[in-house]
Amino acid sequence: MCAVLFFSNHIYRIMRFELIFIFIFYLLFIPGESTARNQKNTTEAAKDIVKIAPLRNPDRGFHLESNYFAHDMTNPFRKNEIFPNGFIEAREKAFDSESENLTLLQLYVYLTEWVDKDISQEGLENIQVIFDELKKYGYKAILRFAYNWEGLDASGGESEKWILRHIEQLEPLLEKNRGLIATIQIGFLGAWGEWHTTPLQNDFTAKSNIVNALLKVYPEPYSIQIRIPDHKNRLNLDNEKDKTRISYANDYFTAGEHSHAPGNDFVPGSKWYRQIERESPWFFMSGEIPYDENTEWGLAALIDPETTLRILRDHHYSAFDLTQNYQLNIKSWRNIKVYPELLVKNNILFSEDYFMDEKGNRVNRSFFEFVRDHLGYRLNLTGSSLKTKSKKLLYDLEFTNTGFAAPVNSKPVYLVFIDESNNVKREVRINADPRDWQPYDYNKQSYQPLRHRLTGDIPVDLAGKYRVGIWMPDPDKSLQYNGVYDVKWVPNKNLSQWYDNDGKYAVNIIGEVVL
């Protein structure tokens, strides 16, 4: 987290950002010309945008942010904000996202009170209370533990000995709540857990030991996130295969346009950028824009939306922060229009249906909504065949994924049979790994949507008329029959959605059969 930072004495940097802000503020996308338009047409452009309802899905999308000390449940940055104040409802309201169907909360848990001693039982219970509330809202956490909340001019005093002890203490809690964690950011070290400004700055033996401990308590196939590639590249892992599930939290997403981007952001064309491009199809990737403040480290300028889209695509982003630069960049995205020609020009995947209204008319969408809807996965059924033969169902499904990423957190895939009384009569798991459902051939960089196919036959000892659907629940037993956490495919002419009355299922209906 790039917390509030001090004003720079370098006046030329401030003047530079003010000029950039004034220039880009006057720009907005139009088809067939540059990607921008004069500010006097902003209102007119916004009128051209037609809203589209969000599709609520787990492990993907924009995320909110909450911060708490584990010892007293207060926000380190607003001491009068005591849990549950500052939690999901408050954050949704503060960032105009009550109707956005968000599912992710970046959760900073500060262990400051116990930097050199055991976490108390009360502290562990406080953390569990937060997880219990997450489940009530149908959210998951992008989780980070840290000690130093004060920033760059302070030391958290953290040590390898006590970090390893705290990971040991946290293991039962992490196991119990595994289904409620989208990813764990390695954290612990340095200011806000970002791995800088730490007593262990150059101790990569200690850092390796800490990462190995966290990999053990949060096992595959889940990802843990590190700050930059150089940190990852210097680790000595107990199991080198685990490097494939060490992903990145880009806490300084500036589209490469900030003067401090080199060494902090993953700048297009750089060595870091290319490394992440190779690695990112297989893990959970997230980012956040620095605070919109006119300081040395802040970002008081609008970043280029087209460059942003290409980065989200190249690095397979599953999540992106809504909060830190909300008033400037994120809000501006609501008035920037996106349309097929713009996306084709930039090799960004989309479904034609996305740009059609309910009457079949071509419309424009907002940049905000396009990013919201395409972070992570977006599954589109393009064709299906269901046949019955000798007590078997023969199925053949074709689909695309037009999101920025695959469903990197593993999900089982079932075919379910729903009778005429709206009861699920049979669940049959099929052989499929959604982590393979990549948007495009990243090796060839073709930027054409991959055509995926599920085909096979399953025995079905049923009689009568049934709707058949794809059911993708959470693999964690505590969430398996909680439909809020089920994966929803895009409703279209080939697919509709069905929900049971008890909230156990969210099923993607693909057809009907008579058995």
Side-chain angles (χ1 to χ4, degrees):
M1 161 185 176
C2 296
V4 179
L5 300 169
F6 301 103
F7 283 94
S8 171
N9 292 324
H10 302 294
I11 302 301
Y12 73 92
R13 284 184 180 142
I14 296 175
M15 295 175 63
R16 176 177 178 268
F17 289 136
E18 289 176 343
L19 290 172
I20 292 172
F21 172 79
I22 293 170
F23 176 72
I24 302 180
F25 185 78
Y26 278 79
L27 302 179
L28 195 63
F29 292 120
I30 60 171
E33 297 183 23
S34 72
T35 61
R37 168 173 284 185
N38 194 286
Q39 185 194 11
K40 67 182 180 181
N41 292 323
T42 299
T43 302
E44 177 186 347
K47 289 180 179 178
D48 291 341
I49 295 170
V50 177
K51 289 183 176 295
I52 185 170
L55 185 62
R56 193 182 200 280
N57 263 319
D59 300 299
R60 57 151 305 278
F62 281 127
H63 65 77
L64 302 169
E65 179 185 304
S66 291
N67 299 265
Y68 295 105
F69 283 125
H71 68 276
D72 64 4
M73 302 288 270
T74 62
N75 183 337
F77 311 105
R78 299 184 187 92
K79 296 297 177 61
N80 62 343
E81 188 175 84
I82 305 173
F83 182 87
N85 295 331
F87 200 55
I88 290 171
E89 280 190 1
R91 292 293 181 255
E92 286 183 341
K93 184 176 181 179
F95 296 98
D96 305 318
S97 57
E98 294 158 294
S99 62
E100 300 297 351
N101 275 335
L102 305 185
T103 65
L104 292 172
L105 178 74
Q106 186 174 22
L107 176 61
Y108 289 79
V109 178
Y110 284 93
L111 306 175
T112 312
E113 183 76 2
W114 306 287
V115 67
D116 57 359
K117 55 189 173 185
D118 276 354
I119 304 171
S120 70
Q121 184 60 34
E122 181 184 11
L124 295 172
E125 290 172 358
N126 284 342
I127 298 170
Q128 183 58 54
V129 168
I130 298 175
F131 276 112
D132 292 342
E133 288 296 306
L134 271 176
K135 189 174 182 179
K136 288 182 183 179
Y137 288 95
Y139 268 65
K140 293 194 179 191
I142 298 173
L143 180 63
R144 184 187 300 185
F145 295 100
Y147 305 95
N148 178 3
W149 61 275
E150 294 180 277
L152 300 177
D153 287 352
S155 171
E158 63 271 12
S159 66
E160 176 188 1
K161 170 187 173 181
W162 284 107
I163 292 174
L164 293 176
R165 170 58 181 156
H166 292 162
I167 292 174
E168 180 183 3
Q169 285 189 276
L170 291 166
E171 182 175 5
L173 187 146
L174 298 177
E175 170 64 27
K176 178 179 179 179
N177 298 286
R178 186 166 296 161
L180 296 172
I181 302 171
T183 190
I184 294 179
Q185 299 178 333
I186 295 172
F188 292 102
L189 301 171
W192 317 295
E194 289 187 5
W195 275 45
H196 54 72
T197 324
T198 171
L200 301 176
Q201 188 76 25
N202 299 311
D203 190 344
F204 271 85
T205 298
K207 289 179 177 180
S208 296
N209 291 337
I210 292 164
V211 172
N212 281 317
L214 201 54
L215 286 164
K216 288 177 183 176
V217 302
Y218 193 63
E220 60 178 342
Y222 299 104
S223 306
I224 67 172
Q225 293 188 311
I226 205 164
R227 180 60 189 90
I228 59 175
D230 279 4
H231 292 159
K232 176 177 176 177
N233 296 340
R234 294 182 65 182
L235 294 174
N236 181 17
L237 300 184
D238 293 341
N239 183 355
E240 280 299 306
K241 290 183 179 179
D242 278 334
K243 277 198 173 177
T244 61
R245 61 188 186 95
I246 298 179
S247 63
Y248 302 97
N250 186 355
D251 287 356
Y252 208 73
F253 189 105
T254 68
E257 296 173 9
H258 196 288
S259 61
H260 290 351
N264 295 289
D265 190 5
F266 310 145
V267 179
S270 68
K271 182 179 178 180
W272 283 3
Y273 193 93
R274 292 190 294 270
Q275 177 177 341
I276 298 171
E277 199 169 14
R278 292 191 304 269
E279 297 174 349
S280 59
W282 304 106
F283 52 54
F284 193 100
M285 185 78 185
S286 66
E288 60 188 22
I289 305 175
Y291 282 103
D292 50 324
E293 57 190 23
N294 207 356
T295 63
E296 179 182 3
W297 287 93
L299 182 67
L302 296 177
I303 58 177
D304 179 57
E306 290 189 57
T307 303
T308 298
L309 275 180
R310 293 192 295 269
I311 295 170
L312 296 176
R313 174 204 66 200
D314 288 350
H315 289 172
H316 297 83
Y317 274 77
S318 287
F320 202 85
D321 178 58
L322 194 65
T323 63
Q324 289 195 174
N325 205 287
Y326 180 73
Q327 293 297 329
L328 182 58
N329 273 279
I330 304 297
K331 266 195 172 181
S332 76
W333 291 357
R334 293 186 183 274
N335 294 321
I336 297 172
K337 64 182 178 182
V338 173
Y339 42 86
E341 293 85 353
L342 174 74
L343 300 177
V344 170
K345 184 183 80 169
N346 285 281
N347 295 315
I348 305 296
L349 298 186
F350 64 95
S351 168
E352 294 287 349
D353 293 347
Y354 189 79
F355 292 97
M356 297 292 177
D357 64 14
E358 294 178 354
K359 297 180 180 179
N361 300 314
R362 155 77 183 272
V363 296
N364 299 317
R365 305 299 188 187
S366 75
F367 183 86
F368 175 91
E369 290 182 334
F370 186 85
V371 173
R372 176 200 69 191
D373 297 336
H374 293 81
L375 286 165
Y377 54 90
R378 189 172 178 86
L379 304 173
N380 313 274
L381 186 68
T382 56
S384 63
S385 172
L386 300 175
K387 297 178 181 179
T388 58
K389 182 179 180 181
S390 302
K391 297 284 187 179
K392 287 186 176 182
L393 174 73
L394 285 67
Y395 62 92
D396 191 352
L397 312 177
E398 295 181 351
F399 61 97
T400 62
N401 174 11
T402 51
F404 298 132
V408 289
N409 283 353
S410 182
K411 310 287 182 189
V413 182
Y414 293 83
L415 290 182
V416 297
F417 296 80
I418 304 164
D419 67 15
E420 294 181 277
S421 298
N422 273 330
N423 297 311
V424 173
K425 301 302 291 185
R426 192 63 50 85
E427 306 164 0
V428 182
R429 186 166 180 175
I430 62 175
N431 185 23
D433 187 351
R435 291 176 298 176
D436 294 330
W437 299 352
Q438 297 293 332
Y440 58 88
D441 189 335
Y442 52 88
N443 288 318
K444 296 180 180 178
Q445 298 291 288
S446 66
Y447 302 120
Q448 296 298 315
L450 283 176
R451 301 287 173 177
H452 297 285
R453 192 175 182 185
L454 291 175
T455 183
D457 60 80
I458 55 176
V460 184
D461 187 17
L462 294 170
K465 184 178 180 180
Y466 294 88
R467 280 171 290 171
V468 181
I470 300 169
W471 178 48
M472 296 176 60
D474 196 275
D476 191 86
K477 290 182 179 180
S478 68
L479 300 177
Q480 182 177 6
Y481 289 103
N482 186 335
V484 170
Y485 291 96
D486 292 351
V487 172
K488 293 88 177 172
W489 293 36
V490 177
N492 59 24
K493 64 182 180 180
N494 301 305
L495 181 143
S496 61
Q497 289 170 345
W498 174 86
Y499 302 86
D500 71 317
N501 293 329
D502 297 326
K504 294 169 61 177
Y505 296 92
V507 178
N508 306 285
I509 303 297
I510 57 177
E512 292 185 350
V513 294
V514 177
L515 299 170

